Amino acid sequence: MENSVIILDFGSQYTQLIARRVRECNIYSEIVPYNISCRELLNKKPKAIIFSGGPSSLSKKNVPLCDKKIIQLGIPILGICYGMQLIARFNQGKVSTSLIREYGKASLQTRKKDGLFANLNSNLTVWMSHTDKVSKLPVGFESTAFTQNSSIAAFRNKEKKLYGVQFHPEVVHTPKGKKVIQNFLYKIADCKENWTMKSVVKHSISTIRKQVANKKVICALSGGVDSSVLSILLHKAIGRQLHCIFVNNGLLRKDEGKKVVKTFKTHYNMNLKYIRAENRFLKRLKGIIDPEKKRKIIGHEFIRVFQEEAKKIGPVNFLAQGTLYPDVIESHSALSGPSATIKSHHNVGGLPKKMKLTLIEPFRNLFKDEVRKIGVTLKLPQEIIWRHPFPGPGLAIRIVGSVSPERIKILQAADTIVIEEIKKAGFYKKTWQAFAVLLPIKSVGVMGDARTYENVIALRAVTSLDGMTADWVKLPYDLLGKISNRIINQVNGVNRIVYDISSKPPSTIEWE
């Protein structure tokens, strides 16, 4: 695609955030493996190229290196962290291990008021995460910024159109990072703003129609934001060729099934099949404690259900899923890159190797907020668009330890109260996620002058822009007190409530 930005993935956990920042500038971005050939890259006709960061050290052997010819194309390149160091190495600069490791916030002093730092203050707060640094400039390069620990925190070669920054402009912890990226895209690469959610919808519909032709598609509809927007997009693209399947695995929120049927079958008049499979899933989960096993069991069982239902519908070739970028990056190495696995997701890491249906995943390279924007474009109800993320494995990973009908009932009741009170207090749209977690411990309490020994519920509420990082919400004490009081008084089997005040990282949003 012309006017696109190609991002070479060297294994950073934040590679997808770079793509996100570029898209926020209304410019199409695509992530490719670091070892893409120069010919393959040219076929994509990039207007600009970005080298991501990565966990590797150029002081070691067998590190990821891209085709050196790429930096000789004359296409503007921005190297971030490891990407900057790689540009230096390819141009006979020197990269060495720093005596003082830079991690976290740092004060950056700019030397140049044009290029990457145009219209920015000379003193910037940035986010660092590196051990190596550029210790000697390549010939023809100049240092454009420095920190206390690094005299070369940014550099450029204007003639070759090569730029590098040691910090991470893509993360929210670099407040003016987006402006740095904009300066690269607009002032240096001369990119045009022509990529919007409206264009994404148009392109997706065209692609889906071409891929599906006259065949049938099964959509894994859960009622969440991603699958809901996906089902409406598919319905708009192929109409009655779409067959939505809603599986009640017994791990859903209270009355979830009724709401989904009412919205999609009654209101939108879609092909929707409601499958009751509670016993089937709970039988497979009996005695399972390990969260990774839970995720994989649920993922495998979902696919089996879809395959069985496909036979009943007739010849079906495709399975549509609302898989997102964070699902992919946390499940395995993105696009064959060297990044680390955090956890598998039921619709990514849990898929059987021999699946009989071809996947359709239009949102695989999108973030949650982008999918919400597509929902707005498709004019979905606000209640669906702004619904908090709900994990594919459902309450199974919010029940720490073994899963049973009794424990599910307790968590459903507690979670309903949490959402009700969060909405009443006006905090629902202010939070990314708010939910209850049932812990695998019991505590002593006193209720009605009698000793109790019952379950503990943990409350979790976080704010986030993209799900990659998150901070805990400082909910008012009176709201927390009201939630606690209602749960303890109205949910049998609970006598203690605790509040989770950890952020991501180091914690994840979900407990499992």
Side-chain angles (χ1 to χ4, degrees):
M1 181 183 292
E2 294 184 2
N3 194 57
S4 65
V5 175
I6 300 300
I7 302 163
L8 270 64
D9 180 13
F10 288 93
S12 171
Q13 292 291 342
Y14 302 121
T15 299
Q16 280 69 22
L17 289 183
I18 302 173
R20 171 192 166 85
R21 300 296 175 244
V22 174
R23 292 171 189 163
E24 288 174 352
C25 298
N26 294 327
I27 298 168
Y28 176 75
S29 62
E30 180 180 345
I31 297 174
V32 300
Y34 68 86
N35 55 1
I36 186 173
S37 70
C38 191
R39 178 181 295 180
E40 289 177 299
L41 185 64
L42 284 174
N43 286 338
K44 295 181 179 294
K45 301 178 181 179
K47 189 81 172 178
I49 299 169
I50 297 178
F51 290 176
S52 82
S56 302
S57 170
L58 285 171
S59 63
K60 298 180 180 179
K61 297 180 179 180
N62 301 318
V63 295
L65 302 175
C66 65
D67 189 335
K68 189 176 179 179
K69 294 177 183 177
I70 291 174
I71 66 171
Q72 301 168 354
L73 295 174
I75 299 172
I77 297 177
L78 172 63
I80 296 174
C81 196
Y82 179 85
M84 173 186 175
Q85 297 164 12
L86 192 60
I87 291 174
R89 173 167 167 170
F90 279 154
N91 286 276
Q92 286 73 56
K94 185 177 180 181
V95 178
S96 57
T97 300
S98 178
L99 295 177
I100 301 176
R101 182 172 179 261
E102 275 192 308
Y103 182 82
K105 290 184 179 180
S107 179
L108 182 85
Q109 303 293 322
T110 62
R111 290 190 171 102
K112 301 294 179 179
K113 298 297 292 182
D114 62 338
L116 292 179
F117 304 113
N119 302 315
L120 289 172
N121 294 331
S122 57
N123 186 357
L124 301 173
T125 298
V126 298
W127 182 263
M128 293 285 193
S129 180
H130 68 100
T131 300
D132 292 349
K133 67 177 182 180
V134 177
S135 54
K136 180 182 178 182
L137 280 171
V139 175
F141 283 71
E142 60 179 336
S143 173
T144 57
F146 65 94
T147 66
Q148 184 178 355
N149 295 324
S150 177
S151 61
I152 310 172
F155 66 29
R156 72 183 180 189
N157 184 314
K158 295 178 73 173
E159 183 181 353
K160 292 183 178 180
K161 301 178 182 178
L162 300 176
Y163 294 75
V165 293
Q166 189 58 68
F167 60 92
H168 287 268
E170 71 273 25
V171 301
V172 295
H173 306 293
T174 300
K176 297 297 181 180
K178 185 176 179 180
K179 180 62 179 177
V180 172
I181 292 174
Q182 285 177 330
N183 283 336
F184 172 70
L185 298 174
Y186 300 151
K187 296 181 180 297
I188 296 169
D190 195 30
C191 293
K192 307 300 180 186
E193 300 179 64
N194 62 0
W195 190 77
T196 63
M197 288 303 106
K198 187 175 180 180
S199 67
V200 171
V201 169
K202 183 178 179 180
H203 176 73
S204 297
I205 288 175
S206 175
T207 301
I208 291 168
R209 285 174 177 168
K210 184 177 180 180
Q211 181 182 8
V212 174
N214 61 350
K215 297 180 175 65
K216 295 178 181 178
V217 179
I218 286 179
C219 177
L221 178 60
S222 69
V225 178
D226 309 324
S227 66
S228 295
V229 175
L230 173 63
S231 66
I232 298 302
L233 179 68
L234 288 164
H235 186 63
K236 191 175 183 66
I238 58 176
R240 304 298 287 183
Q241 291 172 245
L242 171 66
H243 294 262
C244 291
I245 296 178
F246 177 80
V247 179
N248 186 342
N249 58 7
L251 303 165
L252 306 174
R253 284 174 171 166
K254 190 176 180 181
D255 298 326
E256 190 78 18
K258 295 178 182 178
K259 295 176 182 177
V260 169
V261 171
K262 182 180 180 181
T263 299
F264 294 93
K265 192 168 186 175
T266 305
H267 181 71
Y268 283 103
N269 193 31
M270 294 171 59
N271 279 333
L272 174 62
K273 192 163 187 179
Y274 177 71
I275 308 298
R276 299 293 300 266
E278 298 98 314
N279 293 335
R280 179 171 174 171
F281 278 83
L282 294 181
K283 183 178 180 181
R284 292 289 311 279
L285 289 169
K286 187 176 182 179
I288 302 299
I289 295 176
D290 182 79
E292 276 294 284
K293 289 183 179 179
K294 288 181 185 178
R295 289 176 178 274
K296 291 184 182 296
I297 286 173
I298 293 168
H300 282 240
E301 202 62 30
F302 260 118
I303 299 303
R304 290 191 185 96
V305 172
F306 291 136
Q307 289 177 327
E308 291 169 9
E309 292 306 315
K311 292 179 181 179
K312 299 175 184 178
I313 293 171
V316 175
N317 298 82
F318 301 96
L319 167 64
Q321 293 189 148
T323 306
L324 302 182
Y325 249 159
D327 298 338
V328 177
I329 190 66
E330 290 188 344
S331 293
H332 54 69
S333 229
L335 299 169
S336 301
S339 53
T341 297
I342 304 299
K343 62 184 178 184
S344 8
H345 289 255
H346 83 284
N347 56 348
V348 182
L351 291 178
K353 293 180 179 179
K354 295 181 180 180
M355 195 177 66
K356 298 177 182 179
L357 302 172
T358 301
L359 285 177
I360 294 178
E361 297 175 313
F363 305 151
R364 191 177 180 86
N365 295 327
L366 298 179
F367 289 93
K368 178 77 69 174
D369 65 312
E370 293 176 315
V371 173
R372 284 196 168 108
K373 290 176 183 177
I374 289 178
V376 172
T377 301
L378 294 172
K379 299 180 180 179
L380 267 72
Q382 290 291 305
E383 184 179 354
I384 292 177
I385 293 173
W386 293 106
R387 185 176 190 252
H388 283 184
F390 187 67
L395 299 181
I397 58 168
R398 291 181 180 174
I399 296 175
V400 183
S402 61
V403 179
S404 68
E406 294 76 21
R407 302 193 80 203
I408 292 171
K409 187 176 180 181
I410 289 172
L411 186 55
Q412 283 178 329
D415 193 73
T416 298
I417 292 172
V418 172
I419 298 303
E420 286 177 355
E421 293 300 334
I422 290 288
K423 286 182 176 179
K424 286 179 184 178
F427 274 87
Y428 191 76
K429 282 190 177 182
K430 296 178 183 179
T431 59
W432 174 266
Q433 275 177 274
F435 55 90
V437 179
L438 181 57
L439 303 185
I441 58 174
K442 289 188 176 183
S443 72
V444 174
V446 179
M447 299 177 75
D449 294 326
R451 177 187 185 275
T452 61
Y453 188 61
E454 295 180 335
N455 294 285
V456 179
I457 290 284
L459 305 182
R460 179 75 158 145
V462 299
T463 56
S464 178
L465 292 175
D466 42 48
M468 297 298 288
T469 60
D471 292 319
W472 62 280
V473 180
K474 296 172 179 60
L475 294 176
Y477 289 157
D478 59 343
L479 175 57
L480 289 172
K482 187 178 291 186
I483 292 173
S484 176
N485 186 61
R486 279 196 62 190
I487 292 176
I488 290 174
N489 281 282
Q490 297 176 23
V491 182
N492 291 331
V494 177
N495 70 356
R496 191 179 298 272
I497 308 296
V498 297
Y499 190 47
D500 182 347
I501 58 170
S502 53
S503 297
K504 175 185 179 179
S507 303
T508 54
I509 295 176
E510 297 287 348
W511 276 50
E512 292 195 333

